[in-house]
Amino acid sequence: MTGAMKISQKGLYALQAMMMLARHYHQGAIKIREVAYEENLPEKFLELILLELKNARIVESVRGAKGGYQLRRDPSEIRLSEIMRLIDSPLAPFGDAEQLRALIDRDLPHRALYQLFLDVRDAAANILENTTLADLIADPGPRKGKRAAKKKEKGSVLPMVVGVQKGE
């Protein structure tokens, strides 16, 4: 019971596959084999993940020679929280909010600590809720903080400049 972020392997694969489909959004359906190859994911596991995403109406499958999978909506309309809730249950990586609230009420000497964990969980949930697939594929560079990414002009240049200086 900590505020540490844990994401399942399945959740990670789902996000990687969705990023790949987002990058190829205007190219029509992509074969599972191509997604697996480009993202270096196991094809059989990927099939199950894409089926789950299809059942949740986040992706759709296209039959035939040019068949495969594609996003049902624009990448800017698909939030990371939506994918993670589906694959990893309600924001499981951040601890159970109800459990934390119960501890805040019950364990008075450590109330501030559990409140901190709850704040971390809520902040993480908020970031995932406000980040779309489009945000992820727009700026593949290193990210110091989500706020920097919001201010497009300055924010996206600064991390690259800082990165270059550190690397010298």
Side-chain angles (χ1 to χ4, degrees):
M1 151 66 80
T2 65
M5 177 173 168
K6 280 197 197 116
I7 179 167
S8 71
Q9 193 66 60
K10 186 180 175 189
L12 193 59
Y13 287 171
L15 290 168
Q16 287 177 279
M18 291 295 283
M19 283 176 73
M20 192 276 193
L21 292 178
R23 282 194 300 270
H24 297 283
Y25 180 61
H26 295 291
Q27 297 167 22
I30 309 288
K31 294 189 181 336
I32 289 181
R33 185 174 292 117
E34 290 174 38
V35 179
Y37 178 78
E38 189 172 309
E39 290 296 324
N40 196 21
L41 303 174
E43 206 174 314
K44 286 286 173 212
F45 199 21
L46 188 57
E47 261 177 60
L48 298 171
I49 292 168
L50 286 168
L51 193 62
E52 215 168 312
L53 290 163
K54 179 187 164 186
N55 291 338
R57 303 177 68 78
I58 298 173
V59 300
E60 60 190 358
S61 62
V62 179
R63 291 172 190 253
K66 290 195 185 296
Y69 280 89
Q70 61 192 22
L71 301 180
R72 281 183 69 102
R73 287 174 279 152
D74 189 277
S76 66
E77 293 172 18
I78 300 174
R79 300 176 185 288
L80 299 196
S81 54
E82 185 182 356
I83 301 164
M84 289 182 69
R85 270 193 197 101
L86 174 72
I87 302 293
D88 280 337
S89 79
L91 293 174
F94 313 103
D96 185 314
E98 291 311 308
Q99 198 179 354
L100 285 169
R101 285 191 193 98
L103 285 165
I104 290 166
D105 291 342
R106 206 172 57 232
D107 187 349
L108 299 185
H110 305 112
R111 174 179 277 173
L113 180 63
Y114 295 122
Q115 183 60 56
L116 176 75
F117 287 162
L118 187 61
D119 292 347
V120 168
R121 184 209 172 274
D122 290 347
N126 194 36
I127 291 169
L128 292 170
E129 192 62 43
N130 290 296
T131 305
T132 67
L133 284 175
D135 295 328
L136 274 189
I137 62 170
D139 175 22
R143 205 180 234 105
K144 288 283 179 264
K146 189 70 184 110
R147 274 183 225 96
K150 285 284 183 222
K151 296 180 204 131
K152 282 288 179 236
E153 290 83 37
K154 290 179 189 168
S156 56
V157 174
L158 189 63
M160 286 190 280
V161 173
V162 171
V164 169
Q165 288 170 341
K166 278 184 187 169
E168 287 176 353

